[in-house]
Amino acid sequence: MVEDRSNLGDLRVGVALLLRVIMRYQGVVAISILGAMIWMAMILSIPYLVGTIIDLVVTRSGMSEVWPLLGLLLIAGSIQAVGISLRRFFGFKLSYRAEADLRNDIFTHIQRMAFSFHDVTSTGALMARASSDLSQLRLILAMTPITVANLVMFFVVTAVLIVIDPVLGLTASLMVPALLYTSGRFAGRVVGFSFDLQERLSQLSHVVEETVAGIEVVKSYGQEAHQQRRLDREAETIYDAAIGMAKQRAIHRPLFEIIPALGTVAVLAVGGIRVLDGAMTFGEFVAFMQYLAVMVLPLLITGWFFANLPRAAAAAARIDELLSTAPDIQEPDHPERLRSGPGEVRFNHVSFAYPDGTAVLSDVNLTIPGGTSVGLVGATGAGKSTIAHLIPRFYDVSSGSITIDGVDVRELSLDELRHEVSVVFQESYLFSASIAENIRVGDPMASDDSVRSAARLAKAHDFICGFPDGYETVVGERGSTLSGGQRQRVSLARGVVRDPRVLILDDATSSVDAIVEAEIQTALAQVMAGRTTVIIAHRTSTLALVDNVAFIEDGALVAFGPHDELLATVPRYAAVLAAQVIV
Amino acid sequence: MKYMSSAGEYNVEKPGTLIARAARLAPELRRPFAAAVAVTFVATIIRLLGPLVIREGIDGGIVAGDRQTILLAAAVYIGLLGLQYIADGLSQWMVALVGERYLVRLRSVVFAKLMRLDAGFYSRSKSGVLVSRMTSDIESLQEFASDGAVMALSNTLTVVGVAVALGVVDWQMALAVFAVVAVLVGVSAVFQRQARRAYDQVRERIGRVLAMLQEGITGVRVVQAFTQEQAQASTFGRVNERYFEANMAAARAISWYFPVVAFLRVVALGSALAIGASRVMDGTMTIGTLVAFLLYLEWFFQPIINLSNVYNLLQSALAALAKLFGLMDEPVVIDDRPGAYDLTEPVVGAVELDAVSFSYDPGTLVLDGVSLKVGAGERLAIVGETGSGKSTIAKLIMRFYDPDAGRVTVDGDDLRDITERSRVDALALIPQDGFLFSGTLRENIAYSDSSASDESVWNVLRAMGIDDWVRSLPEGLDTEVRERGGRFSAGERQLVALARAFLFDPSIIVLDEATSNLDPETEVQVEGALRVLLAGRTSIVIAHRLRSAERSDRVVMIDAGRVIAVGTHTELVESSPRYRELVEVWQRGTK
């Protein structure tokens, strides 16, 4: 699922994207870093104040000298609080804003990418770009301001400690690399394990989903024990991953306390003797301990930051790659307008091959007179769908051209072209929305009346009215389930609601049973009347409705003419059709 | 609804009941758990000894001017740290072992229960919700087990230990600190409430973002076909912005809480110093004690903050447990009754419905006194419109449900009197979509018997005339079918389902015929395979096409839950006008 491509090139690209994002929100970043700096300055002043107070105590200087310092301590505490607030709030704002904006960019980009891109890109990969990859980016961004301040702080503290006492300062500062290393190592390992764990969790959920979906088969074959074994196996692998992670925690986490404590021991032993020797004051000794304590959390966070940076950079690089891929289908610079006309569609010497070189159509010449219907017939893989998909420019022809009423489809704006050419797909995809909204996808401005009449035309009105919520019934993944035939009729209604000049039906009645199809047939006849229609169908009953049939074999147009005529004159046509009525 | 769910008996308001029941689930883990607690306790004690050693080093060494004592204290402290490393590591490790072992058990038990529940339960519940019991609910327990449990345990012990230590070191100073801590606890409670609300909203809204994202990707072709890209993008932008706002609400809560905590820390430090300074100057306290006190203070605040985070994890873990126990308490409706017996072997395969009535929801009869006989070895087609009740008949024969009235018998025995095992062996269902499990083709065909030899699988394939098809696949029987058989066509999935049933060799087959068009070549293969499979077996076919009805020995036409015609195809064409109508529709579609 998550490919680990944290190589150097990615790192550079990824960090470059991170920097670009940071520059885009420089105001927010600046305030957050300012807050972090204030926080850091105060957190450094507090051990100093404590040390000074302790010295006053040791010298029995009296409380009157202590009180002002305690006052200063409280003031430092309040300023520190303001610093933390600024740092946190604007750090979050940076990360969430950048995440939201990038997610919008990704979504918009995905919407614009052409069919050829989606044919070869998995949903899972795109989802990962806009979810897990973005989260990694966000976490790193949120931690960037505090890391800047932390790095400054380690430098300053080390310097201060060395100035107070060079020997002890150097000894105690050993804690910095030790803790950074441990925390980085731990974060690095745990990240690996947690990806692994996620992967295994999703495998287990896959077994559960499958069992729930196939429960009738499981029960029918009495295979509960078999499914149980599969699940128990997955549960065991989750156990292994979780325990592997626990082992890392057991090894590393105690060190997060032990290493600073060792620093304290060093202060006690070395510092104690220095105090006895008069080389440092007791207050300085206590301040040392406090400085070490103050640095622990920042060190852990910084270790985490650098351990996760390569992964976040790799995620950023993947996002960058997606966003910088241009869509194959481009709008013309100066679009022409479609002339008013009957909707004549003409293929002129059209050839088409997929980007990988697979040739699908070769030199197709086809004229569909305006207002007439044509049925595309051919064996699976002959190129029927491709012919249909070239008209609304889901793909562009490799050579030749396609015109509608004399205008090349590539000269039209996509908006106008696809408004005039309506497609009903074989897979009737419905959105998680009401039926009315799903039909309105075809024409957002459609009135209630035209939604209803489109549904009537598609023979969907009656079953829609049978639902308690009628047209407001929510369908799709999060709503109630429609049967295959019902879905197809809703998408048929969606295709006709805008009253398109050209209608393309891509095998749109394949998953309805004969009874329903018989109903749709009458609907189709109405829909097709006087409209240019291209229809891919397996059933001969549909072919009885069309004016002409285009018979396709191996990417070439073999014959064109009325159904009866082809039956009589083209033996191959009769043969292919015969294969279809075997049922 | 027919069966009321008993969920709700357990809820988060009664954590005691929940935890007691949770403990009953894995009694063998009680001892290891007690051991883990003991080790954690030891680790905490060792940790608390540290500052006391430092106090000795300061008072007995630095103040008294004794180098030996300073070095001795340092040596003792190092020794303690060694012990602490072992004890801490062990505690982390043991708590995780117990927690993760418990989760393995829980997953297994819940899943077993899920599979025992009946079809009625499945049709009432959304499959997504069922899956989430096994995934997100148990995962929130996992989160608690892997992180929360250790934290809860060690931080609680630390807080109690430090409080005691502070009191022992100096109770007046301790009281001042406790006052500050009381404020901290109050502030944390307010924050947790706020954060919980905010994060609930974050979770809900990220769900919407992801759902819409998924839809935008899977539906992208439709979106582009109707040039809805901009509309989609702006709808998505709105949903996404709402998620941003929810995140910022959480950020606002965090951005006031942590500064306040940091300030309170300084206040505690200041008051300890104020009291300590005057006491040391009075001579009523040693300087070493003051330093030890300051060190303890560091360990007082972080655990309390940690605990308030753990509280959140605990809440969602308890909520998840309540839901899981609700599922565990669902009654098992279809089960062996006392005294259930096996069918007499060999099973002849005579199926009868005797005045069967059934409803999914009370008040809406789906089947109304249906009586029907299927002779041994007979092929019966059930036809009727969508919603007529024909699939329900199939489900009752499979005993996915029990009838409300009347009885369903096999070889004269009421299904309710027969053992599950015996019934399962006698009957097999072939669902509409064939249903493939992820795995290889071999695993799918030999689903009923994973020990079946390759030879017997090939025999089945040969007998059904589909061995050539399997051979033509790149990896033959080892071909991975991918998710839900995505790489195969509908017809090919049917073939696999038929082969699976053939290998299982039941006496009775219930076949729900596919409605969708198969490509012509596969259609021929399916027909051939079906002929082989059904030969010599009793079969009940939910028919969607003319040819199936024609090939059956008899046809039953169902309308609105009643049998309206029974007979051979030819008889019905003559005697039943309704059947004739149906046949005409079929003919228009195919000829």
Side-chain angles (χ1 to χ4, degrees):
Chain A
M1 186 184 86
V2 179
E3 57 274 54
D4 199 354
R5 308 182 337 186
S6 39
N7 60 49
L8 223 59
D10 279 351
L11 194 66
R12 218 176 34 240
V13 176
V15 171
L17 176 74
L18 282 170
L19 288 176
R20 271 209 307 283
V21 170
I22 288 174
M23 289 315 285
R24 196 158 141 196
Y25 307 96
Q26 36 184 289
V28 178
V29 179
I31 300 177
S32 182
I33 290 183
L34 176 71
M37 290 297 180
I38 293 173
W39 160 75
M40 182 203 71
M42 291 307 115
I43 219 170
L44 290 183
S45 69
I46 289 171
Y48 176 78
L49 288 170
V50 172
T52 315
I53 291 172
I54 295 285
D55 273 341
L56 291 175
V57 172
V58 172
T59 56
R60 305 274 194 265
S61 307
M63 283 308 280
S64 57
E65 287 193 48
V66 173
W67 288 121
L69 288 172
L70 284 175
L72 281 180
L73 193 67
L74 283 185
I75 292 172
S78 336
I79 299 177
Q80 180 203 10
V82 174
I84 294 177
S85 194
L86 289 176
R87 182 198 86 202
R88 288 223 179 223
F89 184 78
F90 288 96
F92 279 130
K93 187 157 183 181
L94 160 70
S95 63
Y96 287 130
R97 190 69 266 168
E99 184 194 27
D101 289 351
L102 276 172
R103 191 181 281 120
N104 272 339
D105 291 350
I106 292 173
F107 187 86
T108 310
H109 193 71
I110 291 173
Q111 296 294 300
R112 287 180 52 227
M113 293 307 286
F115 279 34
S116 54
F117 172 84
H118 291 286
D119 289 343
V120 296
T121 314
S122 76
T123 306
L126 292 177
M127 287 293 287
R129 292 305 89 79
S131 53
S132 57
D133 282 350
L134 263 186
S135 306
Q136 301 203 31
L137 211 69
R138 164 171 59 79
L139 287 174
I140 281 292
L141 283 174
M143 287 303 176
T144 300
I146 191 176
T147 302
V148 171
N150 282 340
L151 291 175
V152 175
M153 170 187 197
F154 304 145
F155 185 72
V156 174
V157 171
T158 312
V160 167
L161 293 185
I162 291 175
V163 167
I164 296 179
D165 188 301
V167 178
L168 185 53
L170 282 174
T171 319
S173 319
L174 284 179
M175 183 181 99
V176 173
L179 214 47
L180 272 182
Y181 173 73
T182 316
S183 145
R185 199 172 101 126
F186 174 64
R189 296 214 178 153
V190 163
V191 165
F193 272 108
S194 73
F195 274 115
D196 201 30
L197 185 63
Q198 283 310 319
E199 180 72 36
R200 292 173 189 200
L201 284 172
S202 81
Q203 266 163 29
L204 176 126
S205 97
H206 183 74
V207 172
V208 178
E209 274 163 12
E210 206 172 76
T211 308
V212 168
I215 189 72
E216 291 191 345
V217 176
V218 174
K219 281 176 178 276
S220 157
Y221 286 90
Q223 290 301 303
E224 288 92 341
H226 172 76
Q227 297 300 121
Q228 184 79 48
R229 275 195 301 278
R230 285 182 64 193
L231 183 106
D232 289 348
R233 243 194 333 265
E234 297 300 339
E236 282 296 336
T237 71
I238 290 173
Y239 175 83
D240 291 341
I243 289 298
M245 204 147 129
K247 206 184 254 170
Q248 293 303 322
R249 276 201 303 270
I251 293 172
H252 292 94
R253 265 204 195 154
L255 290 176
F256 296 167
E257 269 185 40
I258 307 275
I259 292 172
L262 284 172
T264 312
V265 173
V267 174
L268 177 66
V270 182
I273 290 180
R274 308 276 295 172
V275 173
L276 284 190
D277 291 343
M280 76 192 285
T281 71
F282 190 75
E284 283 170 340
F285 168 86
V286 173
F288 249 98
M289 286 192 176
Q290 297 265 316
Y291 273 123
L292 293 188
V294 152
M295 280 204 299
V296 174
L297 213 53
L299 280 170
L300 295 181
I301 293 172
T302 308
W304 179 93
F305 181 90
F306 285 105
N308 280 281
L309 186 59
R311 233 167 247 281
R318 288 193 290 270
I319 292 172
D320 192 61
E321 190 190 345
L322 170 62
L323 288 178
S324 52
T325 311
D328 282 349
I329 304 290
Q330 294 286 348
E331 289 274 0
D333 292 333
H334 305 288
E336 281 195 39
R337 293 305 306 258
L338 200 58
R339 292 165 213 142
S340 61
E344 181 207 65
V345 176
R346 192 191 288 261
F347 283 62
N348 306 307
H349 300 286
V350 167
S351 295
F352 177 77
Y354 283 109
D356 66 5
T358 324
V360 183
L361 295 180
S362 57
D363 199 38
V364 170
N365 288 292
L366 170 67
T367 303
I368 306 166
T372 69
S373 54
V374 60
L376 299 179
V377 175
T380 312
K384 294 170 299 198
S385 283
T386 307
I387 290 184
H389 286 176
L390 288 173
I391 303 171
R393 275 191 88 196
F394 292 153
Y395 302 87
D396 269 342
V397 296
S398 307
S399 65
S401 68
I402 297 170
T403 60
I404 296 177
D405 288 329
V407 184
D408 190 319
V409 290
R410 285 167 297 187
E411 301 295 325
L412 294 165
S413 76
L414 284 177
D415 198 44
E416 183 173 17
L417 171 66
R418 291 180 183 171
H419 198 268
E420 293 294 340
V421 180
S422 202
V423 183
V424 180
F425 291 94
Q426 181 175 11
E427 298 278 332
S428 19
Y429 186 89
L430 298 187
F431 295 92
S432 299
S434 71
I435 292 179
E437 283 169 309
N438 264 293
I439 295 177
R440 273 207 186 88
V441 166
D443 181 8
M445 310 308 271
S447 67
D448 282 359
D449 279 347
S450 34
V451 167
R452 268 153 213 272
S453 60
R456 271 199 201 90
L457 215 52
K459 290 288 173 200
H461 180 75
D462 287 345
F463 81 77
I464 294 172
C465 291
F467 296 131
D469 294 331
Y471 280 84
E472 297 312 311
T473 306
V474 174
V475 295
E477 262 181 72
R478 285 180 294 139
S480 57
T481 21
L482 301 186
S483 72
Q486 291 172 331
R487 278 207 304 276
Q488 273 183 339
R489 280 178 279 172
V490 172
S491 52
L492 190 60
R494 176 167 70 195
V496 297
V497 68
R498 64 166 44 158
D499 193 19
R501 196 183 292 206
V502 179
L503 178 63
I504 296 172
L505 303 171
D506 185 356
D507 212 1
T509 57
S510 63
S511 72
V512 297
D513 64 24
I515 303 174
V516 173
E517 191 181 16
E519 281 187 27
I520 296 185
Q521 295 297 339
T522 51
L524 281 183
Q526 272 182 293
V527 167
M528 286 158 57
R531 193 195 312 272
T532 311
T533 308
V534 179
I535 181 166
I536 300 173
H538 281 123
R539 304 202 195 203
T540 30
S541 52
T542 314
L543 294 177
L545 298 173
V546 297
D547 299 318
N548 291 297
V549 169
F551 179 47
I552 320 289
E553 284 217 292
D554 297 329
L557 178 65
V558 178
F560 183 83
H563 172 62
D564 297 340
E565 202 178 298
L566 292 200
L567 264 187
T569 56
V570 185
R572 278 291 301 155
Y573 178 67
V576 167
L577 274 189
Q580 316 229 348
V581 288
I582 275 169
V583 182
Chain B
M1 267 180 217
K2 213 165 173 186
Y3 317 102
M4 279 311 292
S5 150
S6 62
E9 184 184 329
Y10 291 93
N11 60 55
V12 199
E13 309 306 319
K14 296 184 222 151
T17 340
L18 276 175
I19 291 170
R21 173 151 186 198
R24 277 204 300 282
L25 200 61
E28 77 280 10
L29 289 176
R30 277 184 208 165
R31 273 159 175 279
F33 182 68
V37 172
V39 170
T40 312
F41 189 71
V42 171
T44 310
I45 297 287
I46 297 175
R47 172 182 300 126
L48 293 177
L49 290 177
L52 295 180
V53 174
I54 290 181
R55 179 172 74 168
E56 281 315 299
I58 291 172
D59 289 339
I62 301 176
V63 177
D66 180 357
R67 281 162 201 256
Q68 250 6 75
T69 308
I70 295 179
L71 293 177
L72 184 65
V76 170
Y77 199 7
I78 290 178
L80 277 180
L81 288 177
L83 288 179
Q84 190 189 329
Y85 180 71
I86 294 168
D88 251 0
L90 215 53
S91 139
Q92 300 255 1
W93 172 241
M94 289 171 74
V95 174
L97 276 182
V98 173
E100 299 297 339
R101 204 15 88 192
Y102 184 80
L103 287 175
V104 171
R105 164 66 51 84
L106 189 65
R107 285 197 162 98
S108 188
V109 170
V110 172
F111 187 67
K113 173 72 185 195
L114 206 53
M115 284 193 301
R116 289 192 65 202
L117 291 166
D118 56 298
F121 173 79
Y122 278 90
S123 71
R124 286 196 305 277
S125 326
K126 285 208 168 203
S127 64
V129 174
L130 293 185
V131 173
S132 76
R133 288 292 162 277
M134 279 298 295
T135 54
S136 54
D137 285 339
I138 295 190
E139 277 162 35
S140 67
L141 283 164
Q142 179 127 32
E143 224 176 301
F144 182 73
S146 70
D147 235 13
V150 184
M151 277 231 257
L153 208 55
S154 73
N155 285 307
T156 309
L157 290 175
T158 305
V159 168
V160 173
V162 170
V164 170
L166 286 181
V168 169
V169 170
D170 188 293
W171 67 270
Q172 287 176 324
M173 261 165 77
L175 277 185
V177 172
F178 292 165
V180 179
V181 166
V183 176
L184 173 68
V185 170
V187 165
S188 298
V190 173
F191 166 71
Q192 284 303 344
R193 232 192 347 265
Q194 212 176 337
R196 210 177 148 75
R197 230 184 357 249
Y199 281 117
D200 280 349
Q201 208 160 49
V202 166
R203 250 193 309 280
E204 183 211 314
R205 291 187 184 173
I206 185 67
R208 279 191 222 163
V209 166
L210 292 180
M212 197 172 164
L213 189 61
Q214 170 119 31
E215 220 172 60
I217 298 169
T218 46
V220 68
R221 289 174 175 80
V222 174
V223 169
Q224 292 186 0
F226 294 101
T227 51
Q228 295 295 303
E229 296 94 326
Q230 276 177 8
Q232 282 287 311
S234 69
T235 314
F236 180 78
R238 273 197 302 280
V239 173
N240 195 28
E241 194 63 22
R242 306 249 306 147
Y243 171 55
F244 169 76
E245 283 158 11
N247 271 321
M248 286 312 289
R252 269 191 292 280
I254 291 174
S255 305
W256 73 255
Y257 173 68
F258 283 96
V260 168
V261 169
F263 180 70
L264 287 176
R265 228 184 243 244
V266 175
V267 171
L269 178 67
S271 34
L273 274 174
I275 299 173
S278 65
R279 305 268 316 260
V280 173
M281 285 190 267
D282 290 351
T284 52
M285 181 190 263
T286 67
I287 188 81
T289 303
L290 178 57
V291 173
F293 203 98
L294 296 186
L295 288 175
Y296 278 132
L297 214 49
E298 288 294 328
W299 290 344
F300 208 29
F301 271 72
Q302 199 54 48
I304 290 175
I305 297 168
N306 290 346
L307 279 179
S308 82
N309 288 330
V310 169
Y311 180 75
N312 260 350
L313 288 180
L314 183 68
Q315 287 288 312
S316 32
L318 287 177
L321 270 183
K323 284 190 242 170
L324 287 170
F325 290 150
L327 176 68
M328 299 290 290
D329 291 341
E330 284 286 339
V332 173
V333 178
I334 305 283
D335 206 356
D336 285 353
R337 67 162 53 162
Y341 50 86
D342 287 352
L343 285 166
T344 320
E345 293 288 341
V347 177
V348 181
V351 177
E352 186 177 350
L353 275 74
D354 182 11
V356 165
S357 294
F358 181 78
S359 59
Y360 294 99
D361 300 308
T364 25
L365 268 185
V366 178
L367 294 182
D368 185 4
V370 171
S371 290
L372 197 60
K373 267 189 186 169
V374 195
E378 192 187 10
R379 177 168 173 174
L380 178 81
I382 307 180
V383 301
E385 284 177 25
T386 313
S388 59
K390 54 187 196 298
S391 317
T392 307
I393 294 181
K395 285 176 179 164
L396 289 172
I397 295 173
M398 292 302 300
R399 207 189 167 204
F400 289 152
Y401 299 93
D402 282 333
D404 296 341
R407 47 188 224 132
V408 183
T409 63
V410 168
D411 290 356
D413 291 318
D414 192 319
L415 282 181
R416 285 170 293 200
D417 295 333
I418 299 169
T419 59
E420 293 277 291
R421 189 71 258 167
S422 167
R423 189 198 73 236
V424 162
D425 286 345
L427 290 145
L429 169 83
I430 299 165
Q432 255 191 16
D433 59 355
F435 201 85
L436 302 196
F437 296 89
S438 56
T440 62
L441 201 54
R442 177 191 286 102
E443 286 164 355
N444 268 289
I445 294 171
Y447 182 65
S448 57
D449 176 16
S450 47
S451 64
S453 67
D454 269 20
E455 203 195 330
S456 52
V457 173
W458 279 112
N459 283 341
V460 164
L461 295 174
R462 248 191 311 277
M464 302 190 106
I466 52 176
D467 49 327
D468 285 343
W469 170 63
V470 175
R471 256 190 292 274
S472 75
L473 296 171
E475 285 162 87
L477 279 179
D478 290 318
T479 307
E480 288 284 336
V481 302
R482 295 210 202 130
E483 220 162 305
R484 302 277 156 80
R487 77 180 290 161
F488 294 136
S489 71
E492 290 168 334
R493 286 198 293 271
Q494 279 285 318
L495 288 178
V496 178
L498 295 179
R500 176 194 286 159
F502 192 72
L503 188 71
F504 187 56
D505 194 21
S507 313
I508 303 157
I509 284 186
V510 178
L511 169 72
D512 197 353
E513 203 177 45
T515 50
S516 54
N517 282 348
L518 306 183
D519 62 281
E521 249 172 89
T522 331
E523 183 94 45
V524 178
Q525 286 183 307
V526 169
E527 273 296 306
L530 202 56
R531 220 173 10 249
V532 176
L533 173 66
L534 299 188
R537 292 177 220 273
T538 311
S539 59
I540 294 106
V541 179
I542 309 214
H544 295 294
R545 48 195 74 182
L546 178 59
R547 194 148 300 213
S548 318
E550 283 174 344
R551 294 221 171 127
S552 299
D553 298 321
R554 275 189 311 150
V555 178
V556 170
M557 188 163 189
I558 307 289
D559 187 54
R562 289 165 185 273
V563 175
I564 57 167
V566 192
T568 66
H569 170 70
T570 341
E571 283 168 8
L572 290 194
V573 168
E574 280 183 17
S575 63
S576 164
R578 291 287 299 278
Y579 187 69
R580 220 164 26 240
E581 266 173 49
L582 179 68
V583 168
E584 275 161 20
V585 169
W586 274 339
Q587 279 170 335
R588 272 205 302 279
T590 50
K591 293 269 165 63

